[in-house]
Amino acid sequence: NMILVNETLSFLDDHTNSRPNDPFFAYVALGQVHFPHSPPKYYLDGTPVAGEYETEHLDLLLEMDKVIGSLVSAIEDKGIANETIIIFTSDNGGLKTKYSKNILRGYKSVIYEGGHRVPLVMRYDGVFPKNETRTNHFVGLNDLYTTIANIVGVKVPKRSALDSVSFAKYIQSEDNVQDLREYLATWAYNHDGEAIRKGDFKLV
């Protein structure tokens, strides 16, 4: 993960120095939650990591916090936070431990809420409202495609991203719910099972 940090920082340096007026896209896929859990002794800045918490998994989540902090700080230091959309999310629910799923039923790879409900944190200085949450409606990660296109003013090609529903207006205000998706379908890739949810009801 620290290799990813260094590579991403190098990419940002190169881009801002050689192509400062061009847009960039950086996809940083961290692997902290994946087995084997092998936390480093220290982070790049000397912060202890291994042995700081009850499990190695939790130690790696500490490292993840440090990684995200490093990348966000780099964007801020370069003065491009007001022209950069930062997205933090996950593609699966938590592991099968008491620390991951909390009140949600299930865990990664199963069809229940704990298997696929994930955090989604977005930041776009000067555009997105600060310190607000949206919890009364749901979106899918596939909706990011159309949402980002709408935000940056790019037209979605005809017959492209047919399963992507923009929630750009919902980001601006929790009252803008008229164009949100009405249902969300999910499936479990390691177990037989499909589900569709509408409102508070879910058919498995």
Side-chain angles (χ1 to χ4, degrees):
N1 293 302
M2 287 185 279
I3 293 175
L4 286 176
V5 172
N6 288 328
E7 290 293 327
T8 306
L9 295 179
S10 176
F11 165 77
L12 290 175
D13 285 340
D14 179 69
H15 185 86
T16 53
N17 290 330
S18 61
R19 301 167 56 193
N21 296 320
D22 291 338
F24 71 86
F25 176 80
Y27 174 64
V28 186
L30 304 177
Q32 275 94 345
V33 298
H34 292 197
F35 290 109
H37 292 153
S38 303
K41 290 183 178 180
Y42 300 98
Y43 186 62
L44 293 169
D45 62 0
T47 300
V49 176
E52 292 298 298
Y53 287 96
E54 185 177 345
T55 68
E56 293 178 331
H57 178 213
L58 295 180
D59 287 338
L60 285 170
L61 295 185
L62 166 63
E63 184 199 24
M64 182 183 69
D65 285 344
K66 298 292 293 183
V67 167
I68 295 169
S70 294
L71 299 180
V72 172
S73 293
I75 291 171
E76 293 173 339
D77 292 343
K78 293 181 180 300
I80 57 174
N82 63 342
E83 52 189 273
T84 304
I85 302 173
I86 301 172
I87 301 173
F88 170 79
T89 189
S90 176
D91 60 350
N92 286 290
L95 300 180
K96 191 178 181 181
T97 73
K98 64 180 180 180
Y99 303 104
S100 296
K101 56 188 174 58
N102 199 8
I103 63 173
L104 300 178
R105 180 182 182 184
Y107 45 89
K108 178 181 177 179
S109 80
V110 303
I111 199 61
Y112 301 108
E113 293 293 282
H116 54 261
R117 188 185 292 190
V118 297
L120 174 60
V121 182
M122 304 179 70
R123 171 180 169 180
Y124 189 7
D125 287 8
V127 180
F128 294 168
K130 294 182 179 181
N131 302 317
E132 292 189 8
T133 59
R134 304 284 185 267
T135 58
N136 293 326
H137 297 270
F138 52 81
V139 300
L141 294 184
N142 48 321
D143 296 331
L144 286 171
Y145 181 100
T146 303
T147 300
I148 299 303
N150 287 171
I151 292 169
V152 301
V154 174
K155 185 177 180 180
V156 176
K158 186 177 181 180
R159 299 192 60 78
S160 178
L162 298 180
D163 62 344
S164 184
V165 179
S166 175
F167 58 93
K169 294 180 180 178
Y170 188 50
I171 295 174
Q172 295 298 331
S173 172
E174 61 182 351
D175 296 327
N176 295 333
V177 300
Q178 62 273 16
D179 296 324
L180 296 178
R181 63 166 61 248
E182 297 183 4
Y183 58 87
L184 182 66
T186 54
W187 65 93
Y189 68 90
N190 276 343
H191 302 270
D192 293 333
E194 299 176 340
I196 187 167
R197 177 178 167 181
K198 183 176 182 179
D200 292 333
F201 293 93
K202 183 172 183 176
L203 176 65
V204 177

